Amino acid sequence: MMGDSSDAEIGFDRTPFGFTLDQWYDGEQTPTDLDGTLLKAFEDAPDVRIEVMVQFEPPFDGEDMNALDSAGLEVIAHMNVLPAVLAKGDRASIERLSRYPGLYWVEENSVMEYQMEKTTTTINATKTWESPVIDAVSKEYPGIDGTGTTVVVVDSGVDAGHPDLDLGEKVIKNYKSDSDLGWREVENSDTSSGHGTHCAGTIAGNGDASGGARRGVAPGAKLIGLSTGEAVSIFNALGGLEWVYENSKPPNRYNIKAVSNSWGPGPGDYNPEDAITKISQMITFENNVVVVFAASNSGGDGSDIQTNPYGNVPSNIAVAAFARDGSGVASFSSRGQSGIITTYPDMGAPGVGIWSTAARRTMISLMTKQSAASLSSIDPYYFAISGTSMATPHISGVVALLFQAYPGLKMSGFYEEAEGEKQTGWNGGQGWKNDSKNKVHEVELILEASARYVQPSDEGTPLAENYIPQNYSIGWNGKPFDLAQGFGLVQVDRAVAIALTLRELRERDFDGDGLPDHPDATVMCALKAFEPVLVSRQRTVPTNRLFTSWSGEWSRFSNQTNQIIPMNHDTSKLVYVPEGSTELELILTYNPWNTDGKSLASLYATIDQDGDGSADWSMDASFLEGYRTATVPVDQSSYGTYWSVNVEGRGIDWDFGERFRETQYKEIKVEFIMSLNISFPPGSHELPEQEPHAQVAYWAPSPGITSADTFMNITEYVFDLRRVVPPEEPEGPGEEGIGLLWLFILLAVASAGGGGYAGYRYYQKRKAGPKA
């Protein structure tokens, strides 16, 4: 029963931001506390009750519950740590709740709309993974996915028992601190909030529990988790950064390249004396590790500073939160103060409704308390939340991609943007550009240069409806940046192309004399040369078969009463059906027996061919057979469409020992590999550019299969480094300048006689490298 408390009793003392939802639907206003995606949910059916995630200003208390009750919302579940609930209500009840002063944010609970794979598409990460790299001698390498790099997550902890975050394989170290900053290694250090696990999955989760659909931004990278506790104190966080500093010193045995921090204190400008500032600068300047911070979630309109002071450290990267589709900045994303440009974010990434990995004990403990009806739409491995905390790990993952593309990225000669007053008055009159700690890393320059600046959606002031200001400044690269989004939404494919180009400029011998021609090339040089690198390639392959495969983990849960917990656990992949194909072969490989976990399972594949959400074809059930094959005919009605191939199964678990007592639930996890071959008759066939989406399985020519009478014309994106051409003219003094030393060398060699040509040539080669 909904309560009958009056508005006055529970604090409904204001109009919903001075307007009604009718104005909102007509595009006149956008409430600060309501996610714009609710518009579509209520467009055609305002009286339908939908599920929404409701966040309140902390702490969550009885007054918040009364507000929900009086507004007419039905509470379905409570979050354990976040001051939030899952509730159900119609348009009128949500409009009524929007008047409550203690409300922070309301968004639709889009259970079936998986957003993690959409945000990696929004920033072009998926396109980057699938684009091969072709070097100067035409040798081809796999796409960039973060392989060989490691990112540290300083947060509430990481559940490294999650299928996407396997301890020892994905999470190579997972530590939890105690009160005296001692570190002990555990499998699951995130047992309450799930915040750190969510961030870790966004950075580098392998997506096994979703068949790869919810991979992180850098799925090939490794992770290290540092849990500083659920209520993070600055002291504990400082201890985590000290651990990063000590363990990333050369030779950097874990190859740590980034540290991700989705936390911070109250808003403020950069303070060079702050302890977090100092340890961050040590990590970057001494160890060449990029430090990434969330901009914070306090909104603002530019009239004062709302950004995280740790993100405002020049050598750190401050991240704003964008809408999941990149159309604008999130209302909650903190803004800098107009005119104080050192307080502006550097760039942004999606941070609204981000689906990523869920800490299992936290999620399952909640699930076991719910009714079966409310469980049927819950995926225990993933959940969606919003914040700059969710945007930050996107950028941390991109940093890993850039270091794989070019491990030699380093501190630049550029200084962080600063307003005129700081230029001369900084730090007791020292002057901004006389303090080398105000320089930025090449990674930051690349991200800023490649970002897409998002324009205001209308003429609203001080912010447009997409929460972007009308005014902007011009940055180091001649492009706009502002107090809400910095230089804009990160674009991974362009950033990686710049990094690859910079590496090519510095390391390639363009004229064939055995020496690199432009070892001092800078990011500015790469900006002049990278555009031709990312191209669409057409090639013809003599083959009558295409191949694709993916790995995943099928799972099943039961609670302490052995009741199976129903789940929306989806490991499906979307498979494009090319024109002319005749037959699809499926090969499912898995181990039905798990002697360690005392479980057994029987898996099979299904196909949804018409996109209605139900299986149109299924493998025959075969008990405990770990190698399954089947063929499915393809007819012309399917050409140009996507089939959804999923893995389903049954399983039992008889482990009633220690694992069962500790976790409150029993979990069966079965790793599998799904491989597909699709066949074509003789003739010429086309494979167009495939959808750059993490849930799409990419076709490639079947290894070792050739044909004399069948040809595949394949169109695909590549990074073609053969197309790198150095800028012809030097730019003159820039980041570093040539330096007088080389002039002295030239004169000395010239006066010495023999060997003068070689010395002169080397100077000319250095000079030919633009120095901007």
Side-chain angles (χ1 to χ4, degrees):
M1 293 289 292
M2 298 298 171
D4 56 1
S5 302
S6 69
D7 286 0
E9 289 175 339
I10 62 170
F12 286 158
D13 56 0
R14 60 185 173 95
T15 60
F17 309 95
F19 49 88
T20 68
L21 285 187
D22 285 324
Q23 292 174 294
W24 177 36
Y25 298 138
D26 292 338
E28 298 176 23
Q29 300 284 354
T30 301
T32 301
D33 301 331
L34 301 175
D35 183 1
T37 59
L38 286 173
L39 168 64
K40 293 182 179 179
F42 287 128
E43 238 172 15
D44 301 321
D47 297 327
V48 171
R49 297 173 65 81
I50 67 170
E51 289 187 359
V52 291
M53 288 288 296
V54 183
Q55 296 185 53
F56 296 92
E57 298 290 348
F60 182 77
D61 55 25
E63 187 175 353
D64 300 326
M65 282 296 296
N66 287 340
L68 288 159
D69 189 48
S70 182
L73 280 87
E74 174 192 357
V75 176
I76 299 173
H78 299 261
M79 294 298 290
N80 288 347
V81 174
L82 292 177
V85 299
L86 176 65
K88 181 179 288 187
D90 58 13
R91 165 180 164 170
S93 63
I94 292 172
E95 178 184 18
R96 186 171 170 80
L97 182 67
S98 72
R99 302 184 182 126
Y100 177 52
L103 183 68
Y104 174 69
W105 183 251
V106 182
E107 58 190 302
E108 183 185 3
N109 182 36
S110 305
V111 175
M112 293 302 295
E113 189 175 2
Y114 300 150
Q115 300 298 341
M116 183 64 223
E117 62 269 27
K118 291 189 176 180
T119 60
T120 51
T121 301
T122 297
I123 63 175
N124 292 339
T126 48
K127 181 179 178 181
T128 303
W129 305 333
E130 303 296 345
S131 298
V133 178
I134 305 172
D135 69 10
V137 294
S138 300
K139 187 174 181 179
E140 192 164 313
Y141 300 88
I144 302 295
D145 66 357
T147 296
T149 66
T150 299
V151 179
V152 179
V153 186
V154 179
D155 213 290
S156 63
V158 175
D159 176 7
H162 191 290
D164 293 10
L165 303 169
D166 302 295
L167 184 63
E169 296 179 16
K170 172 59 65 176
V171 178
I172 56 176
K173 295 290 179 182
N174 198 27
Y175 294 109
K176 193 175 183 70
S177 69
D178 49 35
S179 58
D180 62 355
L181 290 184
W183 298 95
R184 55 190 176 89
E185 191 163 8
V186 295
E187 181 186 70
N188 185 3
S189 58
D190 197 5
T191 56
S192 295
S193 71
H195 186 273
T197 299
H198 194 279
C199 292
T202 301
I203 296 169
N206 61 28
D208 272 1
S210 61
R214 291 179 178 173
R215 283 172 284 178
V217 173
K222 303 296 186 183
L223 292 165
I224 293 176
L226 295 180
S227 171
T228 55
E230 305 302 336
V232 178
S233 70
I234 298 304
F235 180 76
N236 281 356
L238 178 61
L241 292 177
E242 286 183 339
W243 187 97
V244 175
Y245 173 72
E246 292 293 338
N247 287 275
S248 61
K249 289 180 179 179
N252 195 352
R253 58 178 174 158
Y254 300 120
N255 204 26
I256 296 169
K257 292 301 181 183
V259 53
S260 191
N261 305 274
S262 292
W263 51 270
D269 201 353
Y270 159 44
N271 181 351
E273 302 304 319
D274 190 278
I276 298 292
T277 295
K278 291 181 177 180
I279 192 64
S280 296
Q281 291 170 335
M282 292 170 65
I283 289 170
T284 300
F285 281 87
E286 297 180 29
N287 297 356
N288 199 34
V289 174
V290 174
V291 181
V292 186
F293 268 94
S296 197
N297 299 326
S298 51
D301 60 5
S303 61
D304 57 5
I305 300 172
Q306 291 297 327
T307 46
N308 183 350
Y310 302 153
N312 293 333
V313 175
S315 58
N316 292 352
I317 294 178
V319 184
F322 273 81
R324 63 173 66 97
D325 63 356
S327 59
V329 175
S331 63
F332 55 75
S333 185
S334 288
R335 282 111 178 128
Q337 182 170 338
S338 180
I340 307 180
I341 58 181
T342 53
T343 67
Y344 294 5
D346 295 308
M347 78 271 313
V352 178
I354 304 304
W355 280 89
S356 188
T357 43
R360 297 164 306 145
R361 186 176 302 180
T362 301
M363 183 62 72
I364 302 302
S365 296
L366 170 65
M367 289 171 60
T368 56
K369 301 173 185 176
Q370 308 302 314
S371 66
S374 66
L375 293 174
S376 60
S377 61
I378 292 178
D379 186 333
Y381 287 125
Y382 302 97
F383 72 121
I385 50 178
S386 302
T388 54
S389 288
M390 286 60 255
T392 300
H394 281 82
I395 298 298
S396 300
V398 180
V399 174
L401 299 178
L402 293 181
F403 270 111
Q404 181 193 357
Y406 182 22
L409 292 170
K410 59 186 179 180
M411 290 302 298
S412 76
F414 275 95
Y415 288 80
E416 179 84 306
E417 310 283 353
E419 63 277 7
E421 182 180 342
K422 277 199 177 78
Q423 296 291 346
T424 56
W426 170 253
N427 206 7
Q430 177 181 351
W432 186 259
K433 290 193 175 181
N434 290 324
D435 185 350
S436 63
K437 290 295 193 291
N438 295 333
K439 292 182 179 181
V440 299
H441 201 280
E442 288 178 337
V443 164
E444 181 175 335
L445 293 180
I446 290 171
L447 291 173
E448 291 174 349
S450 59
R452 175 172 63 86
Y453 184 80
V454 178
Q455 298 290 338
S457 57
D458 55 82
E459 297 181 357
T461 58
L463 302 173
E465 287 189 14
N466 63 350
Y467 299 102
I468 292 174
Q470 303 299 330
N471 298 325
Y472 57 82
S473 302
I474 297 297
W476 62 270
N477 56 354
K479 294 186 177 180
F481 71 100
D482 65 43
L483 56 84
Q485 63 179 308
F487 283 85
L489 180 69
V490 64
Q491 299 292 285
V492 179
D493 56 335
R494 292 176 64 83
V496 167
I498 294 170
L500 289 169
T501 300
L502 181 58
R503 179 176 188 171
E504 200 71 5
L505 289 174
R506 287 178 177 169
E507 297 181 357
R508 195 203 292 185
D509 173 18
F510 286 89
D511 59 12
D513 68 350
L515 294 171
D517 292 282
H518 305 284
D520 294 332
T522 66
V523 172
M524 289 293 284
C525 302
L527 293 182
K528 296 177 181 296
F530 87 95
E531 290 283 0
V533 167
L534 184 57
V535 295
S536 180
R537 173 182 73 173
Q538 289 78 39
R539 59 176 175 140
T540 299
V541 181
T543 185
N544 61 356
R545 291 173 64 184
L546 297 176
F547 169 82
T548 188
S549 70
W550 65 92
S551 61
E553 287 193 37
W554 176 86
S555 300
R556 197 217 70 187
F557 287 87
S558 59
N559 61 20
Q560 289 179 332
T561 64
N562 282 331
Q563 176 187 9
I564 294 177
I565 301 175
M567 303 178 300
N568 174 33
H569 176 48
D570 187 2
T571 60
S572 65
K573 276 284 195 180
L574 297 177
V575 178
Y576 179 74
V577 183
E579 289 192 19
S581 55
T582 57
E583 185 178 77
L584 179 70
E585 179 189 26
L586 300 92
I587 305 171
L588 175 62
T589 307
Y590 69 99
N591 183 1
W593 293 91
N594 184 344
T595 55
D596 293 333
K598 298 182 175 63
S599 66
L600 56 88
S602 180
L603 306 186
Y604 56 94
T606 64
I607 303 177
D608 174 9
Q609 296 171 316
D610 55 15
D612 65 354
S614 60
D616 301 297
W617 174 92
S618 177
M619 267 184 178
D620 295 333
S622 180
F623 188 62
L624 300 181
E625 185 179 341
Y627 182 82
R628 311 285 311 281
T629 63
T631 56
V632 180
V634 178
D635 59 44
Q636 295 183 7
S637 64
S638 294
Y639 290 168
T641 67
Y642 285 86
W643 285 1
S644 178
V645 179
N646 197 15
V647 173
E648 301 181 23
R650 301 181 299 274
I652 59 173
D653 183 339
W654 62 88
D655 180 9
F656 297 99
E658 182 178 355
R659 185 169 66 91
F660 175 59
R661 291 195 300 269
E662 284 185 350
T663 59
Q664 302 181 16
Y665 62 88
K666 294 186 296 182
E667 176 185 18
I668 300 173
K669 294 190 296 183
V670 182
E671 296 181 356
F672 67 82
I673 297 175
M674 173 60 74
S675 302
L676 305 180
N677 290 290
I678 196 163
S679 302
F680 297 83
S684 180
H685 305 279
E686 302 291 328
L687 179 65
E689 289 178 0
Q690 299 176 72
E691 184 72 22
H693 194 287
Q695 199 171 1
V696 172
Y698 270 63
W699 288 115
S702 293
I705 302 297
T706 60
S707 174
D709 56 4
T710 309
F711 301 90
M712 293 301 306
N713 301 308
I714 300 173
T715 303
E716 60 192 346
Y717 283 106
V718 297
F719 294 105
D720 191 348
L721 300 181
R722 296 171 299 185
R723 298 167 63 90
V724 173
V725 178
E728 293 182 2
E729 297 296 329
E731 292 291 322
E735 287 183 34
E736 301 293 346
I738 297 175
L740 293 176
L741 173 61
W742 290 101
L743 179 58
F744 295 143
I745 294 175
L746 170 63
L747 294 174
V749 172
S751 63
Y757 179 77
Y760 178 73
R761 276 286 295 158
Y762 186 49
Y763 175 72
Q764 288 290 80
K765 288 163 72 69
R766 290 182 57 84
K767 186 177 180 181
K771 303 297 183 236

